[in-house]
């Protein structure tokens, strides 16, 4: 059956054809760039003996020979659009067949399939090979034999996030990764050999410990070491950004269905399985009680006192809080909730207790106690929506008001090297508990990105708020991600921009319009289908050539559209980045502000297009790949350190102990020499224990030394009266602020058009910070000196003791000296690294302590002390409320106990950190000395010798495998 196309002079409609395109016409939305190598088709060779008088007919595509099945889409792949209004020229060409004019039944391929095969690839950034007479700036057509087509399988390839180029650093170098993988394989094989006898099954055998350690090393994985937090107001595209970075379409919820639901802290971790695991942490009873108390008070204050509020802003503030309370209660209690109880004459304590009883009865502790495993992306997404969305009242209470944190485990490439991504509630959330959780969590993040739409990036209040927090907290790890970078119109850009940029936009738009017109002109030359029957062979071939030229013109249109889109996006991105850096970089400690622009829409529209060469340019333009590469690069340095320790210390330490076990069974020394060896090793162990665990060990009084330094350098310099006077003066300045109530509503932190940004907490603490800034710097210097001295002592003590005692006494065991020395030296390095890690953790904790003690953040010590004060001031309404608000604030600032209690809290926390450091250091010493004893026992213990001698065949297998592992490890440079 043959289907004929009728109507008009064009053979078929053409995507992108212009109906009078001109320079002022905005470009049409991007369509996936067509590829002539997408689909599988047959190229039939032609010969002189084939039909001499062919003619053209167009077959119904349903009758065409079916091609291969559509390849399975990868995770996150979109379904191919089935409802396209027009079909591509290559597809139409595929239906063309040349038939013998003398035989209607004999269909012979004259090679029109090869015309389609010869069509040039229309990749963005590469000019289509349309003839010069039609597109003057296009490159000439390629000769038939001058271009070798890529295989159709290449055209079928889709984008795979795992193929992205990794960050350019040592850890991600292929040679290093290959060596790391081979080392794990070697450890797995060694563990198998060590377990090939029954010795490892005996509880007290040394082989049992060696086999277990080899198994541990075979399963080595770099732990999560870097956390990136994403924070932003509702609707800025944060969840969509997470989906793009994780490369899972529609995983994270992209809109809030519940009026009261903002979100909960959601952490994304890696696991290497195909399923998804969701782990839920619920609020404790005490945490729920505090939230209920705040919500009950907010609703009742609005209900009973809204008429007394003089300021419209006050009324709006309390109305919002009341709505938040009502929506939250409805979500928590479903059909149980009625507003009558809130409006009753019962005391707030009574109402809170009633609600708390309900909450403890209804919270989903049984349903979500532990981990929930889902097998598919859809099931996981549905579960997350259930956890974070309001349910219909008939379905029961919602979960989100009870949830403190959610952990999601999935096989996402961005997480595979140790990164943790965190979706955080907004910093301006009306729910104080969730807002404070976010601020506290930011202390733990290795990098923080605030997300905002690109259209309002330089004025976004969420960005301004985070930058100010970073300035106060001295965070140097802050960045900005602007979403919706593709939301830009060419006509508006041409109008808004000036000079060369506007001229370039005009040129690119004109280029697109010209290509549209040329394609329209080409299609006009295509004859009516009714005339195909009367054509000569030459005319039919001319029509086929026109089809080829149409396809080239179509590719040229797409190429030019991409050039226009790329210019618009990159130019606007550069402008926004420059403005953000100019405005905020000076406020970030160190001036290191990362700015990225991204389009989640562009990423998902193009992610599953083909061929891969076309797709990747769009994905780079979307900005998602650069952000993903940056985030993965954050883990590299720490992961390199951990992996290098594994390769240089952990594995050699085990290999040396295995070699000691082998050599001990082959020993021939007499009893007198063995006695001398045991005495020397006993002396070595004794010296190490005295030096590291004795009374004079620097590690045993490290906590006291650090505490003394804190007392002398910082604590004794407190000036409570002076600091209180400074706070009182700050409060008097605030009393003249016309937006006093607004500052109270925002807990002292507010931004006004007239006065700019102010943080009352920071201003009240200014005298204190002025007095303690230099002492704190001296304290950090003294602490660093002592920590360095402790690390140097440990390193020198270990190396000196080993060098001194492994001397003449071991001459009788020459084969044993080498592996024993290696075992002890690798153990020394492991111990030194452990102490270094403890000191690094202490320094990080000390930096966080400084933020808590000396910043004006709402969650700082000072901010928490003022929390109730601000709340009481907010609740004042009616006649005289203005004066009462001031009295409440100023009264709190006059209390000398405010700064005295702050310093006492700082002192207690510092002492806790110092004590914990000493405790952990002593535990590390104990673990190290146990390892030393274990290594020495390999040589001096008769039981080990007897164990090694018991099964000579097994010992030989172990020795051979040991040599093989050592040879393979020497091939790699770590």
């Amino acid at each position: 059956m043959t289907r004929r196309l009728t109507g008009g002079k064009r053979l078929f409609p053409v995507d992108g054809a212009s109906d009078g395109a001109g320079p002022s016409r905005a470009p049409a939305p991007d369509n996936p760039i067509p590829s002539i190598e997408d689909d599988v088709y047959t190229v039939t060779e032609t010969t002189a003996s084939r039909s001499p008088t062919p003619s053209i007919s167009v077959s119904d595509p349903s009758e065409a020979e079916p091609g291969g099945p559509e390849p399975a889409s990868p995770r996150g792949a979109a379904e191919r659009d089935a409802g396209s209004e027009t079909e591509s020229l290559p597809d139409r060409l595929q239906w063309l067949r040349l038939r013998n004019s003398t035989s209607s039944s004999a269909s012979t391929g004259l090679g029109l399939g090869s015309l389609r095969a010869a069509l040039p690839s229309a990749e963005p950034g590469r000019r289509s090979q349309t003839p010069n007479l039609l597109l003057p700036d296009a490159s000439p057509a390629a000769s038939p034999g001058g271009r070798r087509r890529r295989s159709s399988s290449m055209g079928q390839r889709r984008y795979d996030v795992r193929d992205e180029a990794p960050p350019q650093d040592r850890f991600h170098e292929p040679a290093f990764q290959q060596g790391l993988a081979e080392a794990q394989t070697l450890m797995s094989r060694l563990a198998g050999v060590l377990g090939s006898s029954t010795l490892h099954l005996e509880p007290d055998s040394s082989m049992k410990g060696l086999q277990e350690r080899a198994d541990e090393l075979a399963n080595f994985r770099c732990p999560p070491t870097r956390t990136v937090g994403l924070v932003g107001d509702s609707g800025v595209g944060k969840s969509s950004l997470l989906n793009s970075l994780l490369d899972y379409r529609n995983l994270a919820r992209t809109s809030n269905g519940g009026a009261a639901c903002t979100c909960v802290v959601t952490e994304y971790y890696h696991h290497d399985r195909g399923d998804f695991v969701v782990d839920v942490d619920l609020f404790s009873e005490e945490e729920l009680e505090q939230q209920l108390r705040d919500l009950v008070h907010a609703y009742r204050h609005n209900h009973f006192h809204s008429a007394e509020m003089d300021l419209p802003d006050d009324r709006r503030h309390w109305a919002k809080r009341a709505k938040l309370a009502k929506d939250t209660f409805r979500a928590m209690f479903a059909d149980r909730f009625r507003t009558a109880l809130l409006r009753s004459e019962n005391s707030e304590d009574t109402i809170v207790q009633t609600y708390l009883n309900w909450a403890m009865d209804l919270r989903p502790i049984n349903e979500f106690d532990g981990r929930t495993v889902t097998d598919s992306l859809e099931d996981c997404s549905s579960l997350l929506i259930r956890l974070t969305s309001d349910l219909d009242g008939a379905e029961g209470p919602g979960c989100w008001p009870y949830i403190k944190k959610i952990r999601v485990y999935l096989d996402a490439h961005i997480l595979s090297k140790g990164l943790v991504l965190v979706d955080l509630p907004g910093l301006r959330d009306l729910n104080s508990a969730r807002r404070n959780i976010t601020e506290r969590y930011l202390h733990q993040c290795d990098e923080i990105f605030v997300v905002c739409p690109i259209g309002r990036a330089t004025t976004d209040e969420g960005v301004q708020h985070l930058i100010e927090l970073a300035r106060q907290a001295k965070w140097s790890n802050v960045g900005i991600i602007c979403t919706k970078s593709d939301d830009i119109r060419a006509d508006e850009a041409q109008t808004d921009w000036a000079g060369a940029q506007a001229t370039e936009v005009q040129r690119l738009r004109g280029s697109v319009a010209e290509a549209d017109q040329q394609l329209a002109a080409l299609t006009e030359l295509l004859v009516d289908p009714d005339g195909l029957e009367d054509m000569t062979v030459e005319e039919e071939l001319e029509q086929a050539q026109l089809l080829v030229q149409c396809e080239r013109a179509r590719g040229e249109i797409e190429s030019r559209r991409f050039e226009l889109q790329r210019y618009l996006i990159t130019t606007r991105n550069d402008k926004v980045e420059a403005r953000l850096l100019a405005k905020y970089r000076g406020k970030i400690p160190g001036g290191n502000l990362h700015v990225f622009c991204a389009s989640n829409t562009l990423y998902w529209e193009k992610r599953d297009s083909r061929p891969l060469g076309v797709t990747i340019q769009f994905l780079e333009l979307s900005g998602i790949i650069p952000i993903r590469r940056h985030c993965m690069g954050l883990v590299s340095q720490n992961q390199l350190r951990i992996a290098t320790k594994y390769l240089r210390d952990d594995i050699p330490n085990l290999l040396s102990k295995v070699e000691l076990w082998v050599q001990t069974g082959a020993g021939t020394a007499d009893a007198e020499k063995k006695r001398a060896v045991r005495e020397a090793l006993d002396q070595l162990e004794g010296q190490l224990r005295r030096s590291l665990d004795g009374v004079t060990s620097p590690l045993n009084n490290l906590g006291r030394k650090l505490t003394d330094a804190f007392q002398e350098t910082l604590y004794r310099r407190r000036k409570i009266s002076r600091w209180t006077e400074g706070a009182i003066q700050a409060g008097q300045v605030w009393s003249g602020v016309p937006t006093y109530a607004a500052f109270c509503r925002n807990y002292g932190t507010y931004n006004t058009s007239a006065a700019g940004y102010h943080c009352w907490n920071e201003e009240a603490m200014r005298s204190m910070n002025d007095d303690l800034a230099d002492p704190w710097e001296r304290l950090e210097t003294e602490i660093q000196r002592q920590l360095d001295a402790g690390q140097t002592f440990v390193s020198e003590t270990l190396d000196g003791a080993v060098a001194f005692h492994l001397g003449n006494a071991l001459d009788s065991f020459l084969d044993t000296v080498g592996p024993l020395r290696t075992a002890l030296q690798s153990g020394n390095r492991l111990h030194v690294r452990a102490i270094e890690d403890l000191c690094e953790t202490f320094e990080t904790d000390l930096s966080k302590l400084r933020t808590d003690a000396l910043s004006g953040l709402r969650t700082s010590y000072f901010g928490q002390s003022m929390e109730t004060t601000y709340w009481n001031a907010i609740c004042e309404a009616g006649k005289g409320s203005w004066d009462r608000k001031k009295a409440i604030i100023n009264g709190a600032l006059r209390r000398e106990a405010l700064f005295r209690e702050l310093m006492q809290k700082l002192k207690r926390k510092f002492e806790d950190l110092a004590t914990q450091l000493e405790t952990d250091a002593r535990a590390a010493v104990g673990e190290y000395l146990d390892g030393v004893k274990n290594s020495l026992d390999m040589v001096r213990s008769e039981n080990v010798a007897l164990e090694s001698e018991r099964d000579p065949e097994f010992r030989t297998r172990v020795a051979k495998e040991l040599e093989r592992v050592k040879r393979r490890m020497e091939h790699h440079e770590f």
Side-chain angles (χ1 to χ4, degrees):
M1 174 181 176
T2 301
R3 176 171 64 87
R4 294 191 180 275
L5 304 179
T6 61
K9 293 185 178 180
R10 296 181 184 178
L11 186 63
F12 52 84
V14 181
D15 285 351
S18 173
D19 298 323
S24 62
R25 176 176 174 269
D30 285 327
N31 295 317
I33 294 180
S35 168
I36 54 92
E37 296 168 333
D38 275 354
D39 303 310
V40 179
Y41 53 91
T42 303
V43 179
T44 307
E45 295 182 356
T46 61
T47 65
S49 60
R50 297 281 173 93
S51 170
T53 314
S55 62
I56 298 177
S57 66
V58 182
S59 301
D60 191 304
S62 63
E63 298 181 73
E65 180 180 349
E70 177 77 10
S73 297
R75 171 179 45 75
E79 295 293 334
R80 181 180 294 274
D81 292 336
S84 177
E85 297 178 0
T86 60
E87 299 176 68
S88 69
L89 281 162
D91 290 336
R92 294 289 185 172
L93 269 177
Q94 190 174 357
W95 302 338
L96 288 173
R97 294 177 182 273
L98 296 183
R99 61 180 178 81
N100 190 321
S101 60
T102 62
S103 174
S104 59
S105 61
S107 176
T108 59
L110 192 67
L112 280 186
S114 65
L115 288 175
R116 187 180 190 282
L119 294 179
S121 175
E123 298 182 10
R126 193 173 82 185
R127 290 294 185 191
S128 181
Q129 297 169 349
T130 310
N132 287 340
L133 63 96
L134 295 173
L135 295 173
D137 56 346
S139 58
S143 61
R147 175 173 174 266
R148 181 177 180 181
R149 295 184 65 250
R150 293 172 296 177
S151 67
S152 61
S153 62
M154 288 297 292
Q156 291 285 349
R157 281 189 62 195
R158 292 182 186 268
Y159 173 75
D160 190 330
V161 67
R162 290 167 295 187
D163 293 334
E164 285 182 6
Q168 299 301 306
D169 52 53
R170 170 66 173 151
F171 179 72
H172 288 97
E173 287 179 1
F176 186 87
Q177 287 294 319
Q178 181 181 358
L180 180 60
E182 183 176 359
Q184 291 176 270
T185 301
L186 292 172
M187 290 299 98
S188 179
R189 177 164 173 167
L190 179 61
V193 173
L194 296 180
S196 63
S197 80
T198 59
L199 283 176
H200 75 285
L201 300 177
E202 299 176 10
D204 298 329
S205 73
S206 56
M207 181 52 62
K208 173 180 172 63
L210 295 175
Q211 195 275 337
E212 289 177 348
R213 181 56 176 160
D215 196 52
E216 289 177 8
L217 296 180
N219 292 293
F220 166 79
R221 294 291 184 276
C222 284
T225 59
R226 288 293 181 266
T227 300
V228 173
L230 301 178
V231 63
D233 295 337
S234 177
V236 299
K238 183 158 52 75
S239 296
S240 296
L241 176 65
L242 269 166
N243 289 336
S244 300
L245 293 176
L246 294 169
D247 199 46
Y248 280 87
R249 188 194 297 267
N250 297 328
L251 172 63
R253 179 182 176 197
T254 57
S255 63
N256 291 325
C261 177
T262 53
C263 65
V264 301
V265 173
T266 306
E267 301 172 334
Y268 294 89
Y269 291 86
H270 182 262
H271 73 186
D272 55 2
R273 306 201 309 263
D275 58 9
F276 301 81
V277 177
V278 177
D279 195 1
V280 177
D281 283 352
L282 301 178
F283 283 114
S284 66
E285 181 175 355
E286 293 76 14
E287 290 168 328
L288 282 174
E289 180 180 5
Q290 183 58 49
Q291 292 187 60
L292 291 170
R293 190 171 299 281
D294 290 346
L295 293 170
V296 167
H297 183 84
Y299 185 93
R300 286 168 65 85
H301 184 80
N302 181 71
H303 177 68
F304 290 116
H305 302 289
S306 60
E308 305 169 8
M309 299 176 191
D310 298 328
L311 299 176
D313 286 345
D314 276 349
R315 290 194 293 271
R316 283 192 291 268
H317 170 80
W318 284 107
K320 288 181 181 179
R321 293 189 68 93
K323 185 178 186 304
L324 171 69
K326 182 179 177 180
D327 291 340
T328 304
F329 293 145
R330 183 179 289 114
M332 292 181 76
F333 307 133
D335 292 340
R336 287 194 191 186
F337 174 68
R338 297 290 185 273
T339 58
L341 180 58
L342 287 171
R343 301 181 181 190
S344 70
E345 296 300 324
N346 292 330
S347 69
E348 289 189 4
D349 288 341
T350 301
I351 299 172
V352 169
Q353 188 58 51
T354 299
Y355 283 169
L356 182 61
N357 292 338
W358 291 0
M360 299 309 293
D361 180 43
L362 295 173
R363 69 175 181 161
I365 190 169
N366 294 326
E367 186 175 3
F368 297 109
D369 185 15
R371 296 185 170 188
T372 302
V373 180
T374 63
D375 294 327
S376 69
L377 170 63
E378 293 75 15
D379 290 343
C380 182
S381 179
S382 297
L383 176 59
L384 291 176
I385 290 175
R386 181 183 175 195
L387 292 172
T388 58
S389 302
D390 285 336
L391 300 174
D392 189 320
E395 300 180 32
C399 299
W400 66 262
Y402 299 97
I403 295 176
K404 184 176 184 179
K405 181 166 64 175
I406 297 174
R407 301 180 192 88
V408 182
Y409 297 83
L410 69 164
D411 185 14
H413 180 65
I414 190 175
L415 310 177
S416 60
K417 302 303 181 183
L419 184 72
V420 178
L421 280 178
V422 189
D423 184 3
L424 293 165
L427 281 165
R428 297 185 297 150
D429 197 321
L430 285 176
N431 187 317
S432 297
R434 297 189 185 279
R435 183 252 173 236
N436 288 344
I437 286 173
T438 295
E439 189 172 292
R440 292 302 303 171
Y441 201 100
L442 293 176
H443 288 287
Q444 308 171 33
C445 294
D446 297 287
E447 187 146 8
I448 305 160
F449 282 109
V450 57
V451 184
C452 67
I454 195 169
R456 62 170 192 262
T458 55
T459 59
D460 187 85
E461 292 185 8
V463 174
Q464 295 176 8
H465 189 61
L466 180 67
I467 295 297
E468 289 297 338
L469 286 182
R471 181 188 58 77
Q472 293 182 49
K474 299 188 182 303
W475 295 331
S476 58
N477 54 345
V478 173
I480 303 171
I481 296 179
C482 304
T483 58
K484 305 179 182 179
S485 64
D486 65 325
D487 186 11
I488 181 172
R489 292 173 55 90
D491 54 349
E492 293 177 354
Q494 184 176 331
T495 301
D496 295 341
W497 297 351
Q501 293 174 341
T503 302
E504 180 64 8
V505 174
Q506 183 179 17
R507 185 191 71 79
L508 292 171
R509 294 181 70 202
S511 177
V512 172
E514 178 188 17
D516 278 338
Q517 292 169 352
Q518 291 167 347
L519 178 58
L522 279 173
T523 56
E524 288 292 334
L525 298 176
L526 295 173
V527 302
D528 190 292
D530 292 334
L532 291 176
E533 294 293 336
D534 301 326
M535 283 186 178
T536 64
V537 173
E538 290 76 10
E539 290 171 336
E540 290 176 348
L541 290 177
E542 181 180 350
Q543 288 295 303
Q545 290 172 358
L546 281 173
L547 288 174
V548 173
Q549 292 176 349
C550 285
E551 178 59 24
R552 289 173 176 167
R554 180 187 177 91
E556 185 67 21
I557 290 172
E558 297 302 331
S559 178
R560 295 186 183 187
R561 284 179 177 167
F562 177 78
E563 289 181 13
L564 173 60
Q565 184 182 32
R566 178 167 55 189
Y567 184 78
L568 291 171
I569 291 176
T570 56
T571 302
R572 202 261 297 269
N573 289 354
D574 291 343
K575 287 175 175 287
V576 171
E577 179 180 356
R579 291 170 186 162
L580 290 172
L581 291 175
K583 184 173 183 179
Y584 294 126
R585 182 161 52 186
K587 295 184 178 182
I588 302 297
N592 187 23
L593 179 66
H594 293 112
V595 179
F596 293 95
C597 300
S599 168
N600 302 300
T601 301
L602 184 60
Y603 180 81
W604 289 112
E605 280 182 354
K606 305 299 183 181
R607 185 212 180 280
D608 298 308
S609 300
R610 292 177 294 183
L612 185 59
V614 174
T615 303
I616 196 67
Q617 298 180 78
F618 282 105
L619 301 188
E620 286 282 355
L621 183 60
S622 77
I624 298 300
I625 291 180
I627 298 173
R628 188 152 50 214
R629 188 181 301 123
H630 171 82
C631 291
M632 294 183 71
L634 293 175
V635 306
S636 299
Q637 183 177 358
N638 206 36
Q639 299 290 49
L640 177 64
R641 184 177 62 84
I642 294 172
T644 302
K645 168 183 168 294
Y646 167 76
L647 296 166
R648 292 181 179 177
D649 296 323
D650 289 328
I651 290 179
N653 184 260
L654 171 66
L655 296 182
S656 60
K657 290 182 178 181
V658 173
E659 188 171 3
L660 282 175
W661 185 90
V662 172
Q663 294 296 339
T664 299
T668 57
D670 56 31
E672 183 63 24
K673 291 181 178 180
K674 289 182 178 180
R675 183 184 63 78
V677 168
R678 285 195 295 270
E679 289 179 353
L681 297 183
D682 289 344
Q683 292 174 3
L684 170 60
E685 182 181 4
Q687 180 179 339
L688 289 175
R689 290 192 178 278
R690 288 190 300 272
S691 299
L692 298 179
D693 201 24
V695 177
T696 59
S697 170
L699 298 181
N700 279 350
N701 58 4
L702 181 59
R704 179 184 58 78
K705 288 184 176 181
L706 295 179
T707 300
D708 289 346
F710 174 82
Q711 290 268 17
E712 180 64 29
T713 307
L714 193 81
Y715 192 70
R716 290 181 182 176
R717 299 179 183 275
R718 63 193 185 281
K719 303 174 182 178
I720 305 300
S721 297
R722 168 179 153 77
W723 300 345
T724 303
E725 182 60 31
I728 292 173
Q729 292 177 5
Q732 292 172 349
V733 173
W734 306 338
S735 296
V737 174
T739 53
Y740 197 93
F743 275 95
C744 292
R745 288 194 302 270
N746 290 278
Y747 292 82
T749 301
Y750 193 55
N751 191 2
T752 66
S753 57
Y757 177 91
H758 286 276
C759 175
W760 283 1
N761 291 345
E762 184 180 25
E763 292 168 8
M765 300 176 67
R766 185 157 295 152
S767 294
M768 175 184 174
N769 277 306
D770 289 345
D771 288 343
L772 294 185
D774 289 341
W776 191 281
E777 297 296 334
R778 291 195 297 273
L779 173 65
E780 289 181 335
T781 301
E782 176 60 20
I783 289 173
Q784 186 63 58
R785 187 190 67 79
Q786 294 200 23
L787 294 181
D788 289 345
Q791 294 174 43
T792 301
F793 169 80
V794 169
S795 179
E796 292 178 350
T797 298
L798 302 184
D799 292 341
V802 171
F804 179 79
H805 289 283
L806 293 185
N808 295 332
L810 296 181
D811 286 345
S812 301
F813 286 81
L814 294 178
D815 292 335
T816 304
V817 172
L820 179 58
R821 187 185 300 276
T822 300
L824 293 176
Q825 289 176 339
S826 61
N828 291 353
R829 289 194 299 271
L830 288 171
H831 181 55
V832 170
R833 288 179 184 271
I835 298 299
E836 290 174 347
D837 289 344
L838 292 176
C839 293
E840 182 180 341
T841 299
F842 178 82
E843 291 170 356
T844 300
D845 291 339
L846 185 62
S847 176
K848 295 176 181 178
L849 179 59
R850 177 173 185 169
T851 298
D852 286 336
L854 302 184
S855 77
L857 301 185
R858 188 168 163 185
T859 54
S860 68
Y861 295 162
F862 189 91
Q864 288 296 291
S865 297
M866 292 291 292
E867 184 89 1
T868 302
T869 300
Y870 287 122
W871 175 257
N872 292 336
I874 294 170
C875 293
E876 288 295 332
K879 186 177 181 179
S881 61
W882 188 276
D883 291 332
R884 291 195 298 273
K885 290 178 188 290
K886 295 178 182 178
I888 291 171
I889 300 294
N890 291 333
L893 298 177
R894 290 191 184 97
R895 294 176 53 249
E896 288 194 353
L898 182 64
F899 289 100
R900 183 178 299 110
E901 291 168 359
L902 187 156
M903 290 299 293
Q904 290 172 350
K905 189 173 184 178
L906 170 60
K907 179 175 178 291
R908 288 193 299 270
K909 182 61 178 177
F910 184 91
E911 290 172 348
D912 290 343
L913 291 178
T915 300
Q916 188 63 50
L917 174 61
E918 181 178 322
T919 300
D920 292 342
R922 296 182 69 172
V925 167
E927 183 177 351
Y928 163 73
L929 292 175
D930 288 343
V932 169
K933 181 179 183 302
N934 180 268
S935 297
L936 299 182
D937 284 346
M938 288 286 183
V939 178
R940 63 189 177 185
S941 173
E942 291 293 340
N943 291 333
V944 174
L946 293 174
E947 178 184 309
S948 181
E949 295 168 355
R950 189 192 309 175
D951 189 344
E953 183 180 351
F954 171 63
R955 188 175 70 248
T956 300
R957 287 199 307 273
V958 172
K960 288 182 178 179
E961 182 61 24
L962 175 66
E963 288 305 311
R964 192 183 79 86
V965 172
K966 290 170 66 176
R967 285 197 306 271
R968 292 304 306 162
M969 291 295 293
E970 289 173 356
H971 280 290
H972 298 283
E973 295 182 4
F974 300 118

